[in-house]
Amino acid sequence: MDKDTIVQKFGGSSVANPERIKAVAERVIGYKNHKCDLVVVVSALGDTTDELIELSAQITDDPPKREMDMLMATGEQISCALLAMAIKSKGHDAISLTGAQVGIKTNRDHTRARIQKIETRRIRKALTKNQIVIVAGFQGVTHDDEITTLGRGGSDLTAVALSKALGACVCEIYTDVEGIYTTDPRIVKEARKIRQITFDEMLEMTSLGAQVMQSRSIEVARKYNIPLHVRSSFCEEDGTMIVKETDKMEEVVVRGVACNKQEAKITICAVPDKPGVAARIFTEISKAGVNVDTIVQNVSHTRLTDISFTVPKNSLTQALATTQTIAKKIGAGEVLHDKNIARVSIVGTGMRSHHGIAAKMFQALAENKINIEMITTSEISISCIIDQQSADMAVRTLHKTFKLEQV
Ligand code: ADP
Ligand code: ASP
Ligand code: MG
């Protein structure tokens, strides 16, 4: 009978130094002794990726994306080789493979490439030889052999995609917290570990700023219904299961609070209020490859209106240049921007069937004198754009208002 395959992913903090790598090796060997096939995905050591990006910034302000991928992919190559050495030094057989060696084929969208196909031949061959396979996360290769990376946090995506390709029975994500919490435990010490969370809620949490997992990896897990177990590499406790449906899912109104400080707001003043203007503005911005999030257009009393929208901070320069050009073309006024904003959001499937949640959220912010600049909602979330200085206080207030420390 075929053995079960388990995919395990260890994040940067779990492999931050030689001691941690040796501890991960022990843990992996422990699983191997349970007689399953093991594929282990690793991130780069600690903050290596940030350090590599910082290095490139010392060379140029505008590094070519192809070369950024060549640079960033080296981080995971180091950790996968070291982990394979650590396992071998403990008397077990292992082999490290880069994304290209595995055959993780992607499109050519450097620094945020999409996986198109995963070859499994090389991994299966190694598993047949009873080797533990260590795969460098976050990277792939195009059909013409160019190295690509999968966007920040992309090792999560490598693990999920490999789980699908190999038909793994479990995909375990090992990190530095014990699972998914009601909010970032670094901001709120009363945050509680959630036992089970749905793909929909998790996708909403991550896309609204909870950096614990990469959003795209959750999208893929949801698409193929691959249950994920997020747990700590520092202890044996069970963590959080991310699944299609949870027990009593409609009863939990607010599952968590997320916060994103990585956005900026752009306002175009005095935009002529006539059909087709918004279409022109946002077509140009999307052509420039900038993702726009919340958009607010004020009511016009004078046939002129202000339009505000948010963009990721790292696209601000590009977005401003494009917006200034289009503002001139359409005869609008000044273009303003503000980097000092944050998005705070509440998320929960139960919001579909409960009302009064938005009012409760706005009231809680008002009581703390926090001004709401923009509001957006989805079926299972409500987000407010506020001043960045108030963000942590807003998260703590909302966590308390919705009694999340009691779940
Ligand atoms: P890794 O290096 O393992 O990929 P990350 O740093 O990407 O780990 O993600 C783990 C971090 O995510 C935690 O240290 C925690 O501070 C942060 N985080 C943010 N929101 C949450 C949340 N809701 N639950 C758990 N962790 C969260
Ligand atoms: N090392 C990459 C990053 O820091 C990928 C990952 O850790 O998942 O974004
Ligand atoms: Mg991560």
Side-chain angles (χ1 to χ4, degrees), residues 238-258:
D238 275 348
T240 302
M241 289 303 303
I242 310 178
V243 287
K244 196 167 162 202
E245 283 174 7
T246 61
D247 313 332
K248 304 183 188 159
M249 58 193 266
E250 296 291 326
E251 280 171 34
V252 181
V253 183
V254 176
R255 180 83 72 182
V257 181

Side-chain angles (χ1 to χ4, degrees), residues 150-269:
L150 310 176
R152 295 306 305 269
S155 302
D156 295 328
L157 181 59
T158 307
V160 172
L162 274 174
S163 299
K164 159 75 180 131
L166 296 166
C169 61
V170 188
C171 178
E172 295 184 322
I173 308 291
Y174 286 88
T175 183
D176 60 354
V177 280
E178 284 187 31
I180 308 300
Y181 281 65
T182 46
T183 193
D184 189 339
R186 275 189 291 210
I187 301 181
V188 180
K189 65 176 187 329
E190 293 81 16
R192 299 286 292 262
K193 183 167 85 184
I194 301 170
R195 204 172 48 84
Q196 284 188 325
I197 186 168
T198 64
F199 289 124
D200 286 346
E201 287 169 328
M202 194 59 204
L203 189 53
E204 206 80 4
M205 289 275 279
T206 52
S207 51
L208 292 172
Q211 276 175 7
V212 56
M213 275 194 77
Q214 192 212 34
S215 288
R216 276 173 50 208
S217 69
I218 307 291
E219 253 166 36
V220 175
R222 176 172 73 170
K223 180 166 173 194
Y224 297 109
N225 196 14
I226 300 164
L228 305 176
H229 185 180
V230 181
R231 56 194 308 193
S232 167
S233 63
F234 297 81
C235 72
E236 297 287 333
E237 292 278 298
D238 275 348
T240 302
M241 289 303 303
I242 310 178
V243 287
K244 196 167 162 202
E245 283 174 7
T246 61
D247 313 332
K248 304 183 188 159
M249 58 193 266
E250 296 291 326
E251 280 171 34
V252 181
V253 183
V254 176
R255 180 83 72 182
V257 181
C259 179
N260 184 358
K261 298 177 185 165
Q262 303 305 323
E263 287 175 271
K265 185 174 76 169
I266 297 181
T267 302
I268 317 178
C269 304

Side-chain angles (χ1 to χ4, degrees), residues 21-286:
I21 293 175
K22 287 184 206 165
V24 168
E26 289 285 355
R27 187 150 193 164
V28 166
I29 291 166
Y31 270 96
K32 182 68 187 158
N33 292 339
H34 292 139
K35 310 254 177 299
C36 53
D37 282 336
L38 259 187
V39 176
V40 179
V41 175
V42 281
S43 294
L45 272 66
D47 297 328
T48 303
T49 311
D50 290 331
E51 287 157 15
L52 292 171
I53 294 171
E54 174 54 30
L55 261 183
S56 74
Q58 290 180 36
I59 302 284
T60 163
D61 287 341
D62 189 21
K65 291 192 164 158
R66 177 191 182 276
E67 305 309 332
M68 275 315 284
D69 277 350
M70 288 294 284
L71 178 69
M72 290 192 293
T74 61
E76 274 66 12
Q77 194 169 339
I78 296 172
S79 50
C80 76
L82 291 175
L83 182 57
M85 281 178 205
I87 293 172
K88 283 171 94 84
S89 73
K90 292 175 195 291
H92 286 257
D93 200 6
I95 180 169
S96 64
L97 298 171
T98 63
Q101 285 174 315
V102 169
I104 300 181
K105 303 287 185 191
T106 73
N107 66 8
R108 292 151 167 270
D109 196 359
H110 282 291
T111 73
R112 53 176 187 192
R114 290 190 165 262
I115 297 178
Q116 292 175 325
K117 189 176 172 215
I118 296 189
E119 313 276 359
T120 53
R121 205 176 39 87
R122 182 130 190 214
I123 292 185
R124 289 198 197 281
K125 202 167 148 198
L127 292 175
T128 319
K129 288 197 231 158
N130 212 20
Q131 289 177 314
I132 299 174
V133 180
I134 319 293
V135 178
F138 177 53
Q139 53 181 267
V141 66
T142 65
H143 288 276
D144 44 6
D145 296 329
E146 296 288 4
I147 305 285
T148 51
T149 62
L150 310 176
R152 295 306 305 269
S155 302
D156 295 328
L157 181 59
T158 307
V160 172
L162 274 174
S163 299
K164 159 75 180 131
L166 296 166
C169 61
V170 188
C171 178
E172 295 184 322
I173 308 291
Y174 286 88
T175 183
D176 60 354
V177 280
E178 284 187 31
I180 308 300
Y181 281 65
T182 46
T183 193
D184 189 339
R186 275 189 291 210
I187 301 181
V188 180
K189 65 176 187 329
E190 293 81 16
R192 299 286 292 262
K193 183 167 85 184
I194 301 170
R195 204 172 48 84
Q196 284 188 325
I197 186 168
T198 64
F199 289 124
D200 286 346
E201 287 169 328
M202 194 59 204
L203 189 53
E204 206 80 4
M205 289 275 279
T206 52
S207 51
L208 292 172
Q211 276 175 7
V212 56
M213 275 194 77
Q214 192 212 34
S215 288
R216 276 173 50 208
S217 69
I218 307 291
E219 253 166 36
V220 175
R222 176 172 73 170
K223 180 166 173 194
Y224 297 109
N225 196 14
I226 300 164
L228 305 176
H229 185 180
V230 181
R231 56 194 308 193
S232 167
S233 63
F234 297 81
C235 72
E236 297 287 333
E237 292 278 298
D238 275 348
T240 302
M241 289 303 303
I242 310 178
V243 287
K244 196 167 162 202
E245 283 174 7
T246 61
D247 313 332
K248 304 183 188 159
M249 58 193 266
E250 296 291 326
E251 280 171 34
V252 181
V253 183
V254 176
R255 180 83 72 182
V257 181
C259 179
N260 184 358
K261 298 177 185 165
Q262 303 305 323
E263 287 175 271
K265 185 174 76 169
I266 297 181
T267 302
I268 317 178
C269 304
V271 179
D273 190 15
K274 56 182 188 203
V277 169
R280 273 187 77 183
I281 297 173
F282 293 106
T283 305
E284 290 298 318
I285 294 172
S286 108

